[in-house]
Structures are given as C-alpha cells and as structure tokens.
Amino acid sequence: MTETAAENRRIVLARRPDASLQHGDLRMERVPLPTIDDGELLLRTLWLSLDPYMRSRMNDAPSYAEPVAIDAVMVGATVSRVIASKHAAHAVGDLVLAASGWQDYAVSDGTGLTRLDTDMPRPSLALGAMGMPGFTAFVGMLDIGQPKVGETVLVSAATGAVGSIAGQIAKLRGARVVGIAGGDEKCRYAVEQLHFDACVDHQQHDFAERLAAACPSGVDVFFENVGGAVWEAALPLLNDHARIALSGLIANYNRAAPSDGPDQTAQWLRILLTRRVSLRGFIIFEHYKTRHEAFVEQMSGWLREQRIVVVEDVIEGLEHAPAGLMGLLRGDNLGKLVVRVAD
Amino acid sequence: MTETAAENRRIVLARRPDASLQHGDLRMERVPLPTIDDGELLLRTLWLSLDPYMRSRMNDAPSYAEPVAIDAVMVGATVSRVIASKHAAHAVGDLVLAASGWQDYAVSDGTGLTRLDTDMPRPSLALGAMGMPGFTAFVGMLDIGQPKVGETVLVSAATGAVGSIAGQIAKLRGARVVGIAGGDEKCRYAVEQLHFDACVDHQQHDFAERLAAACPSGVDVFFENVGGAVWEAALPLLNDHARIALSGLIANYNRAAPSDGPDQTAQWLRILLTRRVSLRGFIIFEHYKTRHEAFVEQMSGWLREQRIVVVEDVIEGLEHAPAGLMGLLRGDNLGKLVVRVAD
C-alpha cells in the first residue's frame, strides 16, 4: 500500500460502464487529507466491503437507490477507526461501521455510524456474516423462503457472501441444501466446508441436467442471487407451493441489452401459475427496523457456537478494489469479498 | 336445441389442439341415455360453465390437473337437475352444482355435488359470481392483492368472469381500479356498468402508453389473468412493494411455442427485485377448505345489497359450446360465459 500520511486516496466513478465493468470506468485520485469542523470526525478506513450491488449503482437507470455521480467516490460499507474527533459521541480510537466508500479517509458528522467493539477480534465480520450480506441471507431464507425440515432448498452463488450464509441457515432449519456455484473448487468448498448436501457447477455444459439430478425431490425454496442460466435451470425444478427469495441478479448486472430470443416469459409465468409459486423480491435496507435486532442476536449465537462457517476472500490494498469488483462480477471470489485498506 | 328424449348428446375431445383450438378438436356424439344403479342419480344439465382453464386441460402437458383423455367428455362445472334418483341424499327435482361436463345428462354417485336452492332465481350464478370465478376473484384480490384505500389496482380481462368481480371487490375496498380489456365496447362497459375508474383497450397500437397514462400513480396491485402483451405493459408500471395475483394466462393458452425474442426474462426479474414485488400464482381449488365459507357469506351479502354487478354472456344450446370456448379464448365474451343447455 503506497500512501503518504498527508493525502487521501479515493476511487471515483470516471464514466458509466457500457456493459462489463472496465478498468477505465474507475479512477484513483490523490487529494489532501480532509480536515474536520466542530461536530465532525475523521475516519480511517480499515476494511472496505465489495458487493454486487455496487455495479448497479454505476448505472444511470431508475432503481431503488440513486446512481453514483460521475467523479464521485464509489459508495461502500467500511469498518473504520476514528482518528480525529470534534464530535461528542465518538472518541479517537473508536471502531465503527461506516459508509465511507472507496477511500482511505472520510469525514463524518456521525450520521449512520454504528459503533463496534473496539477489541472485536475480526472486525471485517461486520461487513459479512454479521453485516448486510448475513442479514440478507437471514431475512431471505427465514422470512421469505421459510424452509421446513426435509424440504429441498436451492441456493445460487452458493459460496458467495450471501449464499454461503443462506445455505447454512437452511441446514440449521433441517432442510436438504443444494448449492449452485461456478467451478469445481467452489462446489467442493460448499459441500466439504459449508456442509451443503450437494453443489452443482453452472459452468458445466450439462448444468441443467446435473441440477435436476441433484434435486430428485424438486425444489421447495429457491434463494436466487444470479438470474440468467441459473434461473432457467432452476425454474422447471420448482415444486408446488415453492417460494422464491429473489435477492440478486448478478448475472445481469454487467449486461446491457436483453438476451437473444426466444422470449421465455410465458414459460416462467406458466410455471409460477400452475405450481402456485410465491416469489418475492427484496432489498435488505427495508428490513433493519423490524428484523435486525433478531438477526444480531441469532447470528451472534450461531457464530459463537460455530454453527455457521464464515468464508472471507481478502484483497490487500485499496488500489486493488476495482479489480476485486470485476472479479466479483465474474464470480472469482470465494466467500465475502473485503479489501484490507489499513491495519 | 335438437335432441330426442332417449339420447344423450356429449362433446368429447377428438384430438389435442396444435395451438389455437379448432372445430375438429372437439366432436359431438349421441349415445343412449344412461341408466342408474342403486346409489346413483341421473342429472340433467341446465347450465354449463365455459372457462379458460378448459383449454389447458386439452394439452398433454404436466399441470396441476390431469389432461382430458382423447375421446373423453370435456370437463366442466354444471348446474344440473336431478331427474332420477336411487340415492338416499338426493331427490328428483333437486338442483345441484355438479361437474357433469359438456353433455345433456350425467350419472353421479353423489360425490362432489353441492345442493342449490331449488327456487334459486338465477341458478347460473352458481357458476359465476357465487361460483369458482367469483371465489377466484375474492381470494386473489383480498388474500393476495390486499388493496388499500387509495391504491391503484390493475385488473386484466376486466370484463371477464373473474376480472369483473375482482375489480369490483377492489372498488369496495376503496382502491382506484383500472381495467384492461379487448375493445372499446368492453372498456366502456367496465367504466359505465362496473364503475371501474378507467379501462384501457389492449387492442390499441399505443396500448402501453395509454395504460401508463391511466395509472399516473403507478400500480400497487396487479390482478393478472392474461400474460403476453398485457404483462409487458403492466410490469414497468409497478410501484415498490406491488403485489401480483397471478390468476391466469389466457393469452398463452392457445400458444404452442415461445414468442420471438429478445428474451425479456432479465428485465422482468430486475423489476421484481428492485421494486420488491411479491408475486403469487394461485389455483382456486386449494382455497375452498380455508376461505370458501367466508366467500359465500361475503359475496351473498354483496349480491343481495347489489354492491356487485354480475355480467353474464349466455350461449343457447350445448351444440354451440365449442364455438363459445373458442370465442372465450379470443376474448369475445363480455362477463361470465355460460351455456344454457336446458330450462
């Protein structure tokens, strides 16, 4: 990590990506270290979270969140240390969950900060299993998927930040869990380390047949993070009264135009109708008020009792964040992708 | 109606339709009047219901119900009169809701019959507003759609058996109701007779623009009976947290192959995800146990108080049932389509 104490490195959106995110779409700038006024504090980024939603925020399309402006710092959740404070509620040395984005330092007026235990052994968990991805898995699996003992639960992006937790929660509920992941290594990981009952590699040419074979009793809950070919292979396997928790569509985030035909819409709708499927799209920020407290209590317990395995993929250095996000969108990561920005 | 007392006319499935239902796909047969054994009764069909689901039952594709066998009598709900009885529970003259199918007479062992008031002023209501279509509208609108005062509710096939009731129920709940129907006459009917707030003709070349203009505050509940171009125009109008009650897909029933591309799947999924939409496919037969009693009580009251307008389209004579179903699949009917088989 090359930096001097007096400057702030920040990565900004240089231009909106055409389709796939490219290196020139992001740009690193070096600016003077910001100063703080009364009521403000200066945060040092320790950990930056990389998440699929970041790709959507680069588009200028209507969505649930504002797009990142051109030349603005890329958004992102961080674990940060307070290194200067003119704010009554925060002291130097405090560890906080913040939204500093892709930069070494950020000024905050305290809004939206969550204090973390200063001696937290593994602060990056606040970005993963104990953070937004873990909460997404919790709400999507328990509130929408509602798996029952013995049911078959299908989880796409099975070794990703959300999928790895979602599948393990379903296992804790007594379901049979089948993962979908890209590549043999990830699939082995899902079965051997995360204790999924099976995992199917979507890069295989006969993926749909393999998936059907891995789900001999059909699919009762589909936790969908991907879309595209994964959706196509999963839909025909749904049982009557299946529940779909639509959590993400990473296969589409880098895509500019609709796929070539034929149009499959009628086929999906027919399945959703005749099998009496419930589908619910959800965005996790809406669920903090009602469910976050229950999540923190439950997930803390599971982690303490080591009933949930946490998988982290660590990138060293802010300067490698752009390549990290590109890899995430290609599916290169295994587990929650985080950037170690400073110690 | 040409028949002699000693014969039973019945309409059977001659062959499975290729795509659109054709005249040769159904065949009328004349067979001797059936006789009854102990424990059986002979039913005279008075009214035969024609419903979109009948087209699906002609296909040999996996669905929630068995396909009609080749050379078997077409299935269908009927209002029938008991004209001979060797069954303790049913006397000659009784009026019953039955599933005699497309024929003048049927033998029954009493299974599945529902007794109707013998002096019911309008027995065909048991096939429409008080029957399966009315119950479908009730469950889909109240349990799945859950419209709130001031919300915008969109109902496709707005003047059909289900849609006409569904829209009126939403009005009774204080929603603003926009219908979609085929043709100017139906749209006028929806607004003038059913008191919908607006109705848009899907046969207009600028249907999607007109629909958007009719829903200036977007769509909170979409009661979908159609699919195809109707689905395509409605989806972009959905508000955050919209609910879709997927009740039918009549636009697809006559279709053999997927539509030409491009494939719109990714676009629909994106809308369902980012707007946090709930979609639920439902088939009404599953809801009788839990909701039918409440429906009968509520709908009887609404009809008694004339708060629901009932629209019926009557075809005279069993021999015209095939043309009637073809018309239904084209959208020719206005309201619940029934065949008067005998008085």
Side-chain angles (χ1 to χ4, degrees), chain A residues 89-113:
Chain A
H90 295 276
V92 169
D94 280 1
L95 200 64
V96 293
L97 178 64
S100 296
W102 298 30
Q103 54 187 343
D104 285 318
Y105 299 92
V107 173
S108 164
D109 65 359
T111 306
L113 299 184

Side-chain angles (χ1 to χ4, degrees), chain B residues 111-140:
Chain B
T111 306
L113 298 185
T114 305
R115 199 187 304 265
L116 303 173
D117 279 348
T118 309
D119 55 356
M120 194 177 175
R122 210 171 151 185
S124 59
L125 279 190
L127 303 174
M130 284 301 296
M132 185 269 281
F135 189 37
T136 301
F138 180 88
V139 167

Side-chain angles (χ1 to χ4, degrees), chain B residues 51-340:
Chain B
D51 299 282
Y53 79 84
M54 292 169 168
R55 175 63 188 82
S56 306
R57 299 288 291 277
M58 296 177 181
N59 293 340
D60 192 16
S63 187
Y64 58 91
E66 287 290 303
V68 173
I70 297 298
D71 294 333
V73 176
M74 270 301 296
V75 293
T78 60
V79 169
S80 302
R81 180 84 67 187
V82 178
I83 59 167
S85 178
K86 294 181 179 179
H87 189 292
H90 295 276
V92 169
D94 281 0
L95 199 65
V96 292
L97 178 63
S100 296
W102 297 31
Q103 54 187 344
D104 285 318
Y105 298 93
V107 173
S108 165
D109 65 0
T111 306
L113 298 185
T114 305
R115 199 187 304 265
L116 303 173
D117 279 348
T118 309
D119 55 356
M120 194 177 175
R122 210 171 151 185
S124 59
L125 279 190
L127 303 174
M130 284 301 296
M132 185 269 281
F135 189 37
T136 301
F138 180 88
V139 167
M141 187 55 74
L142 294 183
D143 296 356
I144 300 176
Q146 301 183 26
K148 294 174 194 65
V149 173
E151 285 191 330
T152 299
V153 173
L154 185 62
V155 178
S156 61
T159 58
V162 174
S164 62
I165 306 286
Q168 292 182 84
I169 291 175
K171 284 297 293 178
L172 289 171
R173 280 288 182 271
R176 179 169 183 278
V177 177
V178 177
I180 299 172
D184 185 50
E185 184 200 348
K186 287 186 191 172
C187 280
R188 258 187 289 115
Y189 193 93
V191 171
E192 291 170 11
Q193 305 296 320
L194 305 177
H195 309 297
F196 283 33
D197 296 280
C199 187
V200 183
D201 176 3
H202 65 70
Q203 297 170 349
Q204 296 283 337
H205 70 98
D206 56 350
F207 160 58
E209 290 74 22
R210 283 172 189 246
L211 189 66
C215 302
S217 306
V219 170
D220 301 294
V221 175
F222 178 27
F223 194 109
E224 170 63 305
N225 294 302
V226 174
V230 165
W231 169 272
E232 287 184 27
L235 259 272
L237 304 179
L238 295 182
N239 288 330
D240 288 353
H241 307 121
R243 288 82 71 194
I244 303 176
L246 183 58
S247 169
L249 291 165
I250 196 168
N252 302 331
Y253 295 166
N254 262 337
R255 186 183 294 178
S259 311
D260 289 344
D263 184 11
Q264 302 287 343
T265 307
Q267 181 188 334
W268 309 142
L269 288 177
R270 182 174 183 284
I271 290 173
L272 297 176
L273 172 61
T274 59
R275 304 191 194 168
R276 294 88 84 198
V277 174
S278 296
L279 177 154
R280 191 166 154 207
F282 72 109
I283 304 286
I284 197 59
F285 71 74
E286 295 182 323
H287 299 267
Y288 279 84
K289 205 166 161 183
T290 52
R291 292 291 280 156
H292 194 248
E293 204 174 317
F295 160 71
V296 169
E297 189 184 327
Q298 179 76 82
M299 185 60 74
S300 310
W302 282 334
L303 292 176
R304 203 168 44 236
E305 297 158 15
Q306 298 186 300
R307 300 184 69 187
I308 295 262
V309 175
V310 174
V311 202
E312 244 177 25
D313 199 332
V314 178
I315 289 176
E316 301 289 343
L318 178 65
E319 64 277 21
H320 296 123
L325 183 60
M326 287 176 220
L328 177 71
L329 294 166
R330 276 194 310 265
D332 291 352
N333 60 304
L334 183 67
K336 175 68 191 107
L337 189 63
V338 287
V339 181
R340 192 201 312 263

Side-chain angles (χ1 to χ4, degrees), chain A residues 216-289:
Chain A
S217 306
V219 170
D220 301 295
V221 175
F222 178 28
F223 194 109
E224 170 63 306
N225 294 302
V226 175
V230 166
W231 169 272
E232 287 184 27
L235 260 271
L237 305 178
L238 294 181
N239 287 330
D240 288 353
H241 307 121
R243 288 83 69 195
I244 302 176
L246 183 58
S247 168
L249 292 165
I250 196 167
N252 301 331
Y253 295 168
N254 262 336
R255 186 182 293 178
S259 311
D260 288 345
D263 185 11
Q264 302 286 344
T265 308
Q267 181 187 334
W268 311 141
L269 288 177
R270 184 176 181 282
I271 290 173
L272 297 176
L273 172 61
T274 59
R275 304 193 195 167
R276 293 88 84 198
V277 174
S278 296
L279 176 155
R280 190 166 155 207
F282 72 108
I283 304 286
I284 196 58
F285 71 73
E286 294 182 325
H287 299 267
Y288 279 83
K289 204 165 161 183

Side-chain angles (χ1 to χ4, degrees), chain A residues 39-58:
Chain A
E40 293 182 337
L41 39 96
L42 185 62
L43 297 173
R44 177 68 171 105
T45 306
L46 305 184
W47 296 92
L48 166 65
S49 182
L50 293 182
D51 300 281
Y53 78 83
M54 292 169 168
R55 175 64 188 83
S56 307
R57 300 287 290 277
M58 296 177 182

